[in-house]
Amino acid sequence: MIPAPFDYEVAESVGHALALLGDRDDAKLLAGGHSLLPLLRLRVTRPALLVDLGRLEELSYVRDKGASIAIGALTRHHDVHQAPLLQEHNPLVSYAAGLIGDPQVRHRGTIGGSVAHGDPASDLAAVLLALDAEIDIASAGGVRTVAAADFFQGVFMTAAGPRELVTEIRVPKLTGDHGWSYLKFRRRAQDWATVGVALVAKRANGGVESAAIGLVNMGATPLRASAAEQALVAGADAGAVAAEGTDPPSDTQASAEYRRHLAGVLVRRAAGEALG
Ligand code: FAD
């Protein structure tokens, strides 16, 4: 289908993008377009104005911030995957970015677009949740920081409002005591995850001091598998309780029951990978 008519403006800076959004509720930001354009073509969304962020070089970076790594919202998945700083200090993020879609998607799609879209099937959203990432959101009133745990609020719903712009995402540096894994189960290469598991565990005294597990496609938002995290620290079978508190969808890819089963299998495997 052909999208409904819209006006189009190119933002020259973050301030310019916010000014273009103004106090309108009928404008939408355009980053890589890989989630928004299909929705426009299906006329699921009909914004009167598209504000193109694509040329905002100021939001395309990966920087060392001491204890954390900062990633600009316009950084493409390919660049997140290739960033030496992430490969050294948080390989979980760079590895997961390399599993998104196909090369074309990774060269156009952005990390900011991925989180702002609020799709529970997103790979990076669950990874950021497991990492307790921080997300900066700019508006005419200034910049506020939201924890990943508070950012994802429902299917395609996030803490970023219609006149706000995600500018930066920060992830912690992992140390030698951390083990990690990202496992993505999909029926065909380059598909979205049927279920995905992001796991980070900190080892201490031959055991597990702390664990964080993010689940992809197991509910309306990316979810933390809290019961499995506790089981891992207690030395119990994390897979047995991986699906506790989840509400996975049934669709053409898999039934909810199969997704629950997959979550258990993947959490067990991810724990083995992270701690092995
Ligand atoms: P856009 O499509 O431009 O925007 C998406 C939404 O976010 C829009 O509502 C837009 O207004 C808003 N937005 C964008 N940037 C900002 C910002 N900085 N601040 C506030 N709001 C903003 N994703 C996966 O995780 N895993 C996959 O396996 C996967 N496979 C894919 C396969 C295909 C064929 C396609 C087309 C997409 C796939 N994706 C996958 C999605 C891809 O990662 C998208 O790039 C991503 O979801 C959206 O990023 P974008 O930059 O393209 O955002």
Side-chain angles (χ1 to χ4, degrees):
M1 271 177 72
I2 297 171
F6 54 82
D7 292 331
Y8 172 83
E9 298 277 0
V10 176
E12 308 290 349
S13 65
V14 170
H16 186 215
L18 291 171
L20 288 167
L21 290 178
D23 55 5
R24 308 175 60 139
D25 286 328
D26 59 353
K28 272 224 162 268
L29 298 168
L30 174 69
H34 268 61
S35 291
L36 183 56
L37 292 187
L39 296 179
L40 291 178
R41 293 184 63 180
L42 290 168
R43 299 200 177 195
V44 170
T45 180
R46 297 169 175 232
L49 170 67
L50 278 192
V51 177
D52 191 347
L53 305 175
R55 289 174 220 175
L56 288 190
E57 286 300 317
E58 66 184 283
L59 289 186
S60 178
Y61 57 81
V62 177
R63 288 182 192 142
D64 195 326
K65 285 263 177 113
S68 63
I69 302 291
I71 310 168
L74 255 286
T75 313
R76 313 270 171 192
H77 303 317
H78 171 82
D79 297 325
V80 171
H81 176 51
Q82 295 286 333
L85 271 177
L86 285 168
Q87 287 173 351
E88 182 181 350
H89 295 295
N90 198 318
L92 169 57
V93 176
S94 56
Y95 177 76
L99 295 182
I100 295 174
D102 53 44
Q104 186 183 356
V105 173
R106 292 196 291 276
H107 277 88
R108 291 301 306 162
T110 65
I111 188 168
S114 261
V115 299
H117 191 50
D119 189 334
S122 157
D123 293 291
L124 287 179
V127 168
L128 297 177
L129 187 65
L131 287 167
D132 287 325
E134 293 181 331
I135 299 169
D136 280 355
I137 304 173
S139 67
V143 177
R144 65 195 171 103
T145 299
V146 177
D150 299 321
F151 185 83
F152 302 104
Q153 300 186 343
V155 181
F156 304 138
M157 284 167 58
T158 70
R163 294 167 217 139
E164 294 189 308
L165 202 158
V166 173
T167 50
E168 182 175 285
I169 291 119
R170 284 181 299 283
V171 294
K173 287 184 181 172
L174 302 182
T175 66
D177 294 333
H178 286 105
W180 61 271
S181 171
Y182 184 68
L183 295 178
K184 174 174 181 173
F185 184 91
R186 46 191 170 176
R187 293 175 61 174
R188 299 172 308 178
Q190 305 182 347
D191 267 355
W192 293 77
T194 305
V195 173
V197 168
L199 189 150
V200 197
K202 188 168 184 199
R203 305 181 203 87
N205 307 320
V208 180
E209 184 183 297
S210 63
I213 302 173
L215 299 176
V216 180
N217 233 346
M218 288 295 289
T221 63
L223 294 174
R224 284 285 286 265
S226 310
E229 293 171 358
Q230 287 163 20
L232 208 56
V233 173
D237 178 10
V241 289
E244 219 175 276
T246 64
D247 184 19
S250 285
D251 55 28
T252 52
Q253 295 289 316
S255 65
E257 188 189 352
Y258 183 54
R259 281 196 162 91
R260 284 192 201 97
H261 168 73
L262 269 181
V265 172
L266 294 180
V267 162
R268 245 176 240 125
R269 283 187 196 162
E273 234 182 64
L275 300 168

